[in-house]
């Protein structure tokens, strides 16, 4: 079974600084998707960024970028120029492409990010 | 686009009664929807996968008779918590995948309190 590990329960960053959230995963599949979701205090899950495993280029969405290391099974999220609105719980998630129950998402335990003014 | 609407946002019910939560895909068809439960400061725990026109697939340890799932159309899935008890109090979230290559979209969640 696939597992997703987020080793940082909490992180903090100063406004305008850069922070990196870590995520590792375990899978025997070669084709899959990885996601970072943000859950602010409203508890609405918001997709931040996604990465397709067969693409070597790291995904980027404005101030958010990932460092995808397939061989190391690592998928870290970098937030540049941190803003107060970035404060939230961040979840790393995995989805396989083998079909069947593998279409479901497997989540890490989350990292609570605090942004200090 | 790709909006999932979940209702109600919060509900308080008496112990022993049943509560229905609705999850609708507003601008896409969803043959599959997912139901999660989330405790405070914890991750999302998948309860079941809802399949349009067929029985739901429940995760291990989830009581099928307690959490009834119906996916009667391509845009609506419902979760009914039957004979609710205080331990069923939690935050319930639904989600769907608008397309294979898209990220999953989530409803806004339902906070259930059983008194």
């Amino acid at each position: 079974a696939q597992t997703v590990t987020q080793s940082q329960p909490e992180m903090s960053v100063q406004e305008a600084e850069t922070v990196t959230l870590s995520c590792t995963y375990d899978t025997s599949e070669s084709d899959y998707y990885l996601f970072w979701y943000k859950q602010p205090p409203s508890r609405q899950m918001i997709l931040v960024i996604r990465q397709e495993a067969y693409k070597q280029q790291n995904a980027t969405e404005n101030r958010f970028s990932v460092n995808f290391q397939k061989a190391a099974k690592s998928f870290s999220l970098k937030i540049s120029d941190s803003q107060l609105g970035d404060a939230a719980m961040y979840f790393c998630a995995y989805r396989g492409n083998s079909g069947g129950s593998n279409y479901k998402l497997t989540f890490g335990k989350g990292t609570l990010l605090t942004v200090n003014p | 686009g790709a909006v999932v609407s979940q209702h109600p946002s919060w509900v308080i019910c008496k112990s022993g009664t049943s509560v229905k939560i609705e999850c609708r895909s507003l601008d896409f068809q969803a043959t599959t929807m997912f139901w999660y439960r989330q405790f405070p400061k914890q991750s999302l725990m998948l309860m079941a996968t809802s399949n349009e026109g067929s029985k739901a697939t429940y995760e291990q340890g989830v009581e099928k008779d307690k959490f009834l799932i119906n996916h009667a159309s391509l845009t609506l899935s419902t979760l009914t918590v039957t004979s609710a008890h205080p331990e069923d109090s939690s935050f319930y979230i639904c989600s769907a995948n608008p397309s294979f290559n898209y990220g999953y979209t989530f409803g806004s969640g339902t906070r259930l309190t059983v008194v």
Side-chain angles (χ1 to χ4, degrees), chain A residues 81-93:
Chain A
D81 185 25
S82 297
Q83 301 176 359
L84 295 177
D86 295 334
M89 181 72 87
Y90 285 82
F91 293 102
C92 179

Side-chain angles (χ1 to χ4, degrees), chain B residues 22-59:
Chain B
E22 291 190 349
C23 181
R24 294 182 183 271
S25 56
L26 297 187
D27 47 6
F28 66 98
Q29 294 182 334
T31 56
T32 302
M33 291 186 176
F34 302 90
W35 287 95
Y36 296 86
R37 184 173 181 175
Q38 186 181 32
F39 292 103
K41 297 186 178 181
Q42 293 189 22
S43 187
L44 281 69
M45 180 187 75
L46 180 65
M47 299 174 63
T49 301
S50 169
N51 302 299
E52 187 268 334
S54 64
K55 292 183 179 181
T57 303
Y58 290 83
E59 296 298 302

